[in-house]
Amino acid sequence: MSVTKTEEGAPPGLDRALLTVVGVMVLGGMMSYLDATIVNVGISTLGGEFDASLSTIEWVTTGYLLAVALAIPIAGWALVRFGAKRMWLLGLTLFLAGSALCAVAWNADSLIAFRVLQGLGGGMVDPIMMTVVATAAGPQRMGRVMGLISIPITLGPVVGPIVGGLILDHLSWEWMFLVNVPFALAAIVAALRVLPPDPPRGSDPVPLDGLGVALLCPGFAAIVFGLSRAGANGFGSAEVVVGLALGVVLFAGYTAHALRTRQPLVDVRLFSSRGFSASVATMFLLGGGLFSLLFLLPLYYQQVHGHSVLESGLLLAPLGFGTLIGMPVAGNLADKFGAKRLVPTGALLIGAGALVFTQSDAGSSQVLLTIAQLAAGFGMGLVGAPTMGSVYRTVPGEAVAGATGAVFILNQIGASLGIAVVALILTGGGSHHAPTTGTFGNAFWWPVAAAVVVFVAGLLLPGRPQPVPAAPAPEPVADPA
């Protein structure tokens, strides 16, 4: 997918073929991010529907997260081994089947099992989406393309509570899952028509790093499980300590193994690049800051301002609107100025927006809170797209799939950590069950702190991309006469 430059040093434009691929990927990738937070707002509804305790019905979310954790590390290898189109269609099909089955679940156990199937599909879709688009775009168009492809990653979780609130206010619980079906079908049809066929499989297939799978996948799942339990039970509870300790041991074992393996599942040697490490650390912190805000804001509006589930979801709209504006703006600017300027600016906006909520109470002006959310959302846009572009600019082409796996693993751990920390703050470490205005104020300091670290990490990111050198002029042909 190449484009002829019209001006020396100018980055190539976004041609129709590339934009078509981006559109197909966004259509498929939006579902998993949207679905995660749609279901989160309906947990209590599902518990009542299936007469299940909170500790049981929470596995509807936890099971999905664990399935995603198992699928993400393998997705990069599967893409290289079997082809992007095949694996994209497989991921979408699993997600579609899981969604349809969830809608016909007859008890909590069956719903949890079908959510695991859905999570396996979602865990495959997201890294494949990023790898395909990054490969098609190339370094010179990376920022602008990431500005488009990052929209579902950041906007999906914000829109989810709004859609979930509307569904639960007007329709039955089954529609939390059935809403995925038409989008998944459309994404499958679009992929069949638009994506080029996979190249023939070579005679020397990429071997699966079996030991890496046995170490990394359960290690990732153990850490996500421990963090998902820490918010309610505290970091000192037995299941959290065991989960986190097991995860750390397995991660350490995987790191030692990967350093001695020629083709590891995820190449940890990529972290020797300062730019790559800074980019991944920023995505880790962005995950923690974004998801902690998505967890805090609906609860804050419900418990401090007395709004309904639907109203609190709608009040998240400014955060999503700010992100929707910020992502493409940042993508365009990233190819001109680089992430090193944009990410620290975005971090300041995120921190300033969250800082407003640390000082707010039931009497705070909604206008001020709306402006704070717009600022934080726009800041997330300035951080997300340039950082993702930096990830792919700092690794060679053959390492894109593995780099994507590393980004999604750490982004997911960051999200789980952010939710666990703010949930623990809200409950006072388990000393009380009903958060107060003061505990909400304390909890909002977490995204402020994350923004400060993002600011510092942003200074280590690559600067402006190097311009494409102009093609040399052809040598004049000598006149034989």
Side-chain angles (χ1 to χ4, degrees), residues 148-174:
L148 299 175
I149 205 70
S150 298
I151 289 174
I153 296 177
T154 310
L155 189 59
V158 179
V159 175
I162 301 173
V163 177
L166 289 170
I167 288 174
L168 294 175
D169 206 46
H170 296 94
L171 300 169
S172 63
W173 67 269
E174 289 90 347

Side-chain angles (χ1 to χ4, degrees), residues 196-432:
D198 292 316
R201 302 183 196 181
S203 57
D204 186 21
V206 179
L208 176 63
D209 178 14
L211 181 56
V213 172
L215 291 170
L216 184 58
C217 294
F220 182 22
I223 288 179
V224 170
F225 170 77
L227 292 173
S228 70
R229 292 302 186 192
N233 303 327
F235 282 93
S237 66
E239 59 183 351
V240 173
V241 171
V242 170
L244 295 180
L246 178 62
V248 169
V249 170
L250 290 172
F251 262 40
Y254 174 78
T255 301
H257 159 73
L259 290 173
R260 299 193 303 267
T261 303
R262 188 170 65 87
Q263 292 181 310
L265 194 63
V266 174
D267 192 354
V268 297
R269 288 177 284 260
L270 294 172
F271 287 92
S272 61
S273 164
R274 188 185 76 170
F276 179 79
S277 296
S279 301
V280 174
T282 301
M283 291 304 297
F284 168 82
L285 293 163
L286 182 62
L290 171 62
F291 279 87
S292 62
L293 280 176
L294 292 175
F295 179 83
L296 282 170
L297 287 170
L299 287 175
Y300 169 80
Y301 281 126
Q302 290 171 42
Q303 299 192 23
V304 177
H305 288 258
H307 292 295
S308 67
V309 173
L310 176 58
E311 290 169 341
S312 63
L314 291 172
L315 285 169
L316 283 178
L319 186 70
F321 185 65
T323 304
L324 184 63
I325 297 173
M327 282 288 185
V329 168
N332 284 321
L333 294 177
D335 286 333
K336 298 177 182 178
F337 302 107
K340 194 171 185 177
R341 295 184 184 180
L342 296 174
V343 171
T345 303
L348 290 176
L349 290 172
I350 297 170
L355 188 64
V356 170
F357 282 89
T358 65
Q359 309 301 314
S360 65
D361 54 31
S364 297
S365 165
Q366 187 57 54
V367 173
L368 177 62
L369 299 181
T370 297
I371 293 172
Q373 286 189 80
L374 280 169
F378 190 80
M380 287 174 183
L382 292 184
V383 171
T387 302
M388 288 302 299
S390 295
V391 168
Y392 297 115
R393 285 194 180 105
T394 54
V395 298
E398 65 274 11
V400 166
T404 303
V407 170
F408 275 93
I409 287 171
L410 289 174
N411 184 258
Q412 185 67 60
I413 292 176
S416 301
L417 177 62
I419 293 173
V421 169
V422 296
L424 203 60
I425 295 172
L426 289 180
T427 60
S431 62
H432 55 265

Side-chain angles (χ1 to χ4, degrees), residues 94-113:
L94 289 176
F95 192 86
L96 171 62
S99 299
L101 289 169
C102 283
V104 297
W106 54 90
N107 57 26
D109 291 339
S110 62
L111 179 61
I112 292 167

Side-chain angles (χ1 to χ4, degrees), residues 66-132:
L66 294 182
V68 169
L70 291 172
I72 285 176
I74 302 177
W77 166 81
L79 182 150
V80 176
R81 174 66 178 82
F82 299 106
K85 186 172 184 176
R86 290 188 189 96
M87 299 313 301
W88 178 252
L89 291 172
L90 176 60
L92 291 176
T93 301
L94 289 176
F95 192 86
L96 171 62
S99 299
L101 289 169
C102 283
V104 297
W106 54 90
N107 57 26
D109 291 339
S110 62
L111 179 61
I112 292 167
F114 297 146
R115 279 284 283 172
V116 169
L117 178 63
Q118 194 185 37
L120 291 173
M124 292 171 61
V125 163
D126 299 330
I128 291 173
M129 170 184 71
M130 299 300 295
T131 303
V132 168

Side-chain angles (χ1 to χ4, degrees), residues 50 309 452:
F50 293 110
V309 173
V452 171

